Amino acid sequence: MDNSATTPVRKEVVEEMLPYLTENFGNPSSIYDPGKVSKRAIEKARQKVADAIGADENEIYFTSGGTESDNWAVKGIAFANRHKGKHIITTSIEHHAVLHACSWLEGQGFEVTYLPVDKFGMVSPEELKNAIRDDTILISVMLANNEIGTIQPVEEIGKIAREKKIYFHTDAVQAIGHVLIDVKKMNIDLLSLSGHKFEGPKGCGALYIRKGTKIEALLHGGDQERKRRAGTENVPAIVGLGKAIELAAGEIEEANKPLLDMRERLIEGLLKIPKTHLNGHPSQRLANNVNVTFEYIEGESLLLLLNAKGIFASTGSACNSASLEPSHVLTACGVPHEIIHGSLRLSPGRMNTLEDVDRVLEVLPEIVQKLRNMSPLTPQEYRTL
């Protein structure tokens, strides 16, 4: 129940990758035949990624994952366009790959506006428009939030950015495979994605860079990725990413239907537990995202007790699960500090069933009650007598 953190690699993806882990091991930069085999495989995968998001093949650059793609987009645009201005607009609920990159840029003399969100985690296009300055060079707003699943009005934001001639980047890491994406229609200039979120391999992602975009390279060395991203290509992973996104993009409607059924059953069942609150937008959210807060309990204990029952979930982003700091996303949504630590994210995937959901709903109320009985903060009326 933690497919927002990562997903298993699909059988079809593994089968596509295997030859490039064994006999087809040539370096794509080599001019002899084994190298050409690898090079062709990369270009085939590049076309699949482009097709999945409505881009052109020469606008796709392979990376090591979402974090690198986000860093490259934010820092690369900032340094390539600092002669025009040093102002960046993002949101208070971005993934830390964007937020920490922006924070680092502030130390380099750039100015960043962190837009607030409403209680559902939604950004206001009007507030964004009002935040734009003459020296604004980049707007970065994620397509769908990794913790609470809220889907942002990206097409509207992209239109604003295009009218103002400001580069627009969206972190689509959590959205691929769940949301239909057309970078041209949405006026997106840069888009980040990562294979392991849609049943592809870990350690491989991509950055879409619209043709004509002025961006600095993040890594320097060889001439790979048309001289924009140095380093010998991870051919098996790139091949796997291409197959995974081809499958995911082609099955969105089919895949979302059972996920929506599981999501709604989970939400309905969980909200029957007293003092439980749904986080994120009630309808404009990812098909597989359920994020709730239980009052009077602590999330880490909840996860450990669920783990003992064979149920694996999260309190938020897996990238930050070891931190004791309250979720910056829930904080931005105005969730009271004292109950943020009682949050739980459940994100079923393709291998899950309604029977799994029923198992969660059977086990979870007992665990919540057990923890509330142990907590000195729980009022008497919510304790088991």
Side-chain angles (χ1 to χ4, degrees):
M1 286 284 166
D2 198 19
N3 287 268
S4 290
T6 197
T7 56
V9 182
R10 283 180 73 158
K11 181 183 176 184
E12 304 96 313
V13 173
V14 174
E15 289 172 352
E16 195 103 348
M17 293 171 65
L18 279 174
Y20 299 92
L21 289 163
T22 51
E23 62 264 28
N24 297 337
F25 61 87
N27 188 316
S29 296
S30 304
I31 62 170
Y32 44 66
D33 287 349
K36 290 178 181 178
V37 170
S38 294
K39 187 70 174 175
R40 283 195 295 271
I42 289 174
E43 296 315 311
K44 184 179 176 183
R46 198 185 308 279
Q47 186 65 61
K48 289 177 179 179
V49 175
D51 290 344
I53 61 172
D56 295 331
E57 179 187 5
N58 61 5
E59 296 176 314
I60 304 300
Y61 298 83
F62 292 112
T63 68
S64 63
T67 294
E68 183 190 334
S69 294
D70 282 344
N71 271 261
W72 184 9
V74 173
K75 296 175 182 176
I77 291 294
F79 283 109
N81 296 277
R82 56 185 161 179
H83 62 287
K84 292 183 179 179
K86 292 193 173 184
H87 182 235
I88 296 166
I89 299 173
T90 189
T91 82
S92 53
I93 63 165
E94 296 298 303
H95 190 278
H96 280 124
V98 168
L99 291 179
H100 289 172
C102 286
S103 176
W104 181 83
L105 284 172
E106 287 181 286
Q108 308 300 309
F110 290 86
E111 295 179 38
V112 183
T113 296
Y114 299 91
L115 294 173
V117 294
D118 64 17
K119 65 180 181 179
F120 300 125
M122 192 71 78
V123 175
S124 163
E126 195 60 36
E127 287 192 31
L128 182 143
K129 189 185 290 188
N130 292 336
I132 291 173
R133 307 185 332 201
D134 291 341
D135 61 341
T136 304
I137 54 174
L138 174 67
I139 295 169
S140 181
V141 178
M142 68 197 327
L143 207 162
N145 187 264
N146 52 302
E147 289 192 34
I148 58 174
T150 297
I151 299 171
Q152 302 295 345
V154 164
E155 187 171 346
E156 190 176 350
I157 292 168
K159 185 180 178 184
I160 293 168
R162 186 60 54 86
E163 287 172 352
K164 297 289 187 178
K165 295 182 170 56
I166 299 167
Y167 286 124
F168 176 44
H169 165 249
T170 189
D171 176 344
V173 167
Q174 207 72 62
I176 299 287
H178 299 295
V179 179
L180 288 168
I181 298 172
D182 184 330
V183 292
K184 292 183 173 63
K185 182 184 176 187
M186 293 172 155
N187 294 304
I188 296 168
D189 298 306
L190 304 107
L191 179 144
S192 306
L193 60 90
S194 186
H196 76 105
K197 300 290 188 176
F198 47 88
E199 297 178 304
K202 294 177 180 64
C204 186
L207 180 64
Y208 154 75
I209 306 174
R210 185 174 61 85
K211 187 178 179 181
T213 298
K214 287 191 67 176
I215 186 168
E216 293 275 353
L218 191 66
L219 300 177
H220 300 90
D223 291 342
Q224 293 89 351
E225 293 300 285
R226 302 185 297 288
K227 299 184 178 181
R228 277 186 155 174
R229 198 273 185 183
T232 301
E233 299 92 337
N234 185 350
V235 182
I238 288 171
V239 168
L241 172 68
K243 183 63 176 178
I245 201 167
E246 178 184 46
L247 293 169
E251 299 172 357
I252 288 178
E253 191 174 341
E254 176 189 344
N256 273 353
K257 189 178 184 306
L259 293 175
L260 282 166
D261 290 342
M262 287 187 271
R263 184 190 81 182
E264 292 309 300
R265 187 179 293 195
L266 276 169
I267 291 173
E268 183 183 358
L270 293 174
L271 293 183
K272 290 177 181 176
I273 301 172
K275 291 293 182 178
T276 301
H277 312 278
L278 179 67
N279 300 312
H281 199 282
S283 58
Q284 290 293 109
R285 69 188 303 137
L286 293 171
N288 73 329
N289 178 285
V290 177
N291 189 304
V292 294
T293 302
F294 303 104
E295 293 190 34
Y296 317 124
I297 69 169
E298 200 278 317
E300 188 175 357
S301 301
L302 182 65
L303 294 186
L304 292 172
L305 290 174
L306 282 171
N307 181 70
K309 296 284 188 180
I311 298 170
F312 315 117
S314 169
T315 55
S317 171
C319 306
N320 218 40
S321 59
S323 173
L324 294 176
E325 290 296 312
S327 161
H328 72 284
V329 175
L330 295 182
T331 300
C333 293
V335 178
H337 190 278
E338 62 271 17
I339 67 171
I340 285 179
H341 282 296
S343 66
L344 176 72
R345 182 186 69 181
L346 297 166
S347 48
R350 202 168 57 88
M351 82 293 282
N352 290 118
T353 64
L354 288 172
E355 286 73 25
D356 295 335
V357 169
D358 290 340
R359 171 65 177 160
V360 171
L361 294 176
E362 174 192 350
V363 168
L364 195 50
E366 298 175 5
I367 292 176
V368 170
Q369 192 59 59
K370 180 178 180 179
L371 291 172
R372 283 178 172 171
N373 290 345
M374 295 167 60
S375 172
L377 300 175
T378 307
Q380 192 60 43
E381 69 226 69
Y382 298 113
R383 294 175 180 273
T384 301
L385 298 176

